[in-house]
């Protein structure tokens, strides 16, 4: 691990590690428990999105997931969140993890952040806060140098 006195590098490392801790917790209870993956937690969440919060163009996709691959998607989400968290905390492949984290947050927003028709424009942003804050963190991690401080370094063996 490299130390730096650059406040921007330290701030980005704090964001990286904090977001990583959140995603580690989000993923670990889903991976190590069976409520989300095998006992309907994912299905229940997606059904709630379809009934109450999905953007209209997402409803057919969500119904297709429920009909054909709910368990596989539940495992993909669970392990994806866990791997994103581990990657960010350790500072390994953080841009790749941030890219997938951003995609996950956009999918969640489009699945659960629709405030309904005929609402004020600002309510679309308010309905997205559960996911847009993390999405912006992932964008910052993709744009910056998130592995500059407090990250594991892989060294090649010299011949």
């Amino acid at each position: 691990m490299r130390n730096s006195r650059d406040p921007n590098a330290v701030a980005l490392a704090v964001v990286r590690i904090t977001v990583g801790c959140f995603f580690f917790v989000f993923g670990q209870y889903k991976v190590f428990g069976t409520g989300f993956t095998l006992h309907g937690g994912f299905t229940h969440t997606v059904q709630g999105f379809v009934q109450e919060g999905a953007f209209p163009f997402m409803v057919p996709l969500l119904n297709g997931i429920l009909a054909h691959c709910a368990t596989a998607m539940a495992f993909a989400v669970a392990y994806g969140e866990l791997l994103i968290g581990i990657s960010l905390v350790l500072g390994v492949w953080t841009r790749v993890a941030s890219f997938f984290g951003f995609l996950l947050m956009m999918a969640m927003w489009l699945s659960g952040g629709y405030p309904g028709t005929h609402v004020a424009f600002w309510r679309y942003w308010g309905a997205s806060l559960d996911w847009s804050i993390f999405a912006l963190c992932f964008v910052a991690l993709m744009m910056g140098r998130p592995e500059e401080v407090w990250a594991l370094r892989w060294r090649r063996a010299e011949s």
Side-chain angles (χ1 to χ4, degrees), residues 4-79:
S4 174
R5 294 181 190 249
D6 176 18
N8 291 331
V10 171
L12 196 57
V14 168
V15 169
R16 186 195 83 226
I17 293 167
T18 303
V19 171
C21 287
F22 275 106
F23 275 78
F24 179 78
V25 171
F26 295 161
Q28 68 82 28
Y29 86 85
K30 293 171 183 166
V31 168
F32 297 114
T34 58
F36 183 79
T37 53
L38 298 175
H39 294 112
F42 176 80
T43 300
H44 179 72
T45 300
V46 174
Q47 286 171 338
F49 287 159
V50 168
Q51 293 170 359
E52 299 171 14
F55 278 78
F57 64 87
M58 287 293 290
V59 172
L61 176 64
L62 295 172
N63 283 328
I65 288 170
L66 288 174
H68 302 292
C69 59
T71 301
M73 284 300 294
F75 277 100
V77 168
Y79 279 94

